[in-house]
Amino acid sequence: MKKLDLVLAALFILMASVILFFNLQLKTEGETAVVTKDGEILTELDLSEDTIYEIEINDQYNRVKVEDGYVSMDHANCRDQLCVHYAPISDGPSSIVCLPHRVVISINLEKQGELDAISQ
Amino acid sequence: MRLASRDHLMKFTVMAMLVSMAAVISYFERFIPVLNIPGVKLGLANVVTLMALLLFSWKEAFLIAFARVLLVSFFGGGPVSLLYSATGALFSLIAMRLALFLKDRLISVVGVSIIGAVVHNTAQCMVLAIILKSFDVAWGYYPILIYTAVVTGFITGYICLHFSKAISYTPIVKKQD
């Protein structure tokens, strides 16, 4: 093993940390949750009021629940049920993904986009 | 009918063994979740791809990686996980082959392996972005993927380092030279 191997590893870790840092910088007070399917925005949910939003397209059913400022995937008829087990999210670049149905719930996607453009 | 030579048989047997090893590693890797997203894997099977690159040419390494990816998707993984592992395997193979040019001069097998692992996870992240049609979400996951890549790359590289030392006393290597 050579010294440069460790330098390389450190470099990659540094790179990841920089990306992580900038991603966390984008962490904003989440006011709305954006629900997308196939990359298209379906709706924007206000996190300050408790709501339930249902998506049903071609037998693909997802129920998004907003409660106490947190958004979660309440129910889904996808095969792996991973999205249902995600912890509720309220802020930041975190998101809930239902891969089989390609449904993504993320916080303030558009706001993040604007900040991204500024930071670049 | 001409019989295959001893060297040929040896190579063929070793390649078959590598494929089975890679397939088993790749299969059990599925039970170690990286991101809560089915299909995204650690890339531990890269250890075999790297061994194949050290023992044979890139063509044989490609064959081994390709056979492994196909086999594991038949075992049960589906088209989505095939897409992840095929893209990851292909890109990391190319990256490791290129990195091997620097081997012994600048970096060791461990460095090559880390580069391969990082490229493997970058490729998986790109597939994730394409599947979700959302760059932002994939970008949010990218740092975690790099962290895990450095760790797995280090482990697989370390294994390869000692494996290549151990194997240098066997006829498998001598016959290839």
Side-chain angles (χ1 to χ4, degrees), chain A residues 1-2 4-6 8-9 12-13 15-17 19-20 23 38-39 80 82 86 95 97 99 102 104 109, chain B residues 35-38 84 104 106-108 110-111 114-115 118 131-133 136-137 139-143 146-147 150:
Chain A
M1 202 158 63
K2 300 207 171 179
L4 217 71
D5 292 338
L6 296 175
L8 203 68
F12 280 128
I13 289 172
M15 186 178 91
S17 301
I19 296 169
L20 194 67
N23 278 349
D38 279 317
D80 56 32
L82 281 168
Y86 270 84
S95 46
V97 181
L99 203 59
R102 292 172 309 282
V104 179
L109 198 72
Chain B
L35 284 187
N36 260 350
I37 291 170
Y84 281 114
D104 296 334
L106 291 170
I107 52 177
S108 73
V110 181
I114 290 172
I115 291 172
V118 169
I131 288 178
L132 295 177
K133 291 181 187 161
D136 291 10
V137 175
W139 187 245
Y141 287 130
Y142 192 51
I146 298 182
Y147 287 137
V150 172

Side-chain angles (χ1 to χ4, degrees), chain B residues 25-33 39-41 72 75-78 81:
Chain B
I25 295 170
S26 196
Y27 183 76
F28 283 103
E29 209 175 32
R30 284 202 306 152
F31 304 114
I32 312 168
V40 177
K41 283 180 177 174
V72 173
F75 288 161
S81 99

Side-chain angles (χ1 to χ4, degrees), chain A residues 61-62 73-86 97-101, chain B residues 36 38:
Chain A
Y61 176 73
N62 288 73
M73 191 76 84
D74 195 33
H75 184 78
N77 65 349
C78 59
R79 55 187 141 78
D80 56 32
Q81 294 291 310
L82 281 168
C83 51
V84 182
H85 296 300
Y86 270 84
V97 181
C98 179
L99 203 59
H101 295 174
Chain B
N36 260 350

Side-chain angles (χ1 to χ4, degrees), chain B residues 67-99:
Chain B
R68 180 257 295 178
V69 165
L70 273 186
L71 262 176
V72 173
S73 76
F74 290 152
F75 288 161
V80 178
S81 99
L82 174 71
L83 204 62
Y84 281 114
S85 41
T87 324
L90 180 69
F91 280 93
S92 70
L93 177 72
I94 296 167
M96 286 195 292
R97 182 68 205 97
L98 294 175

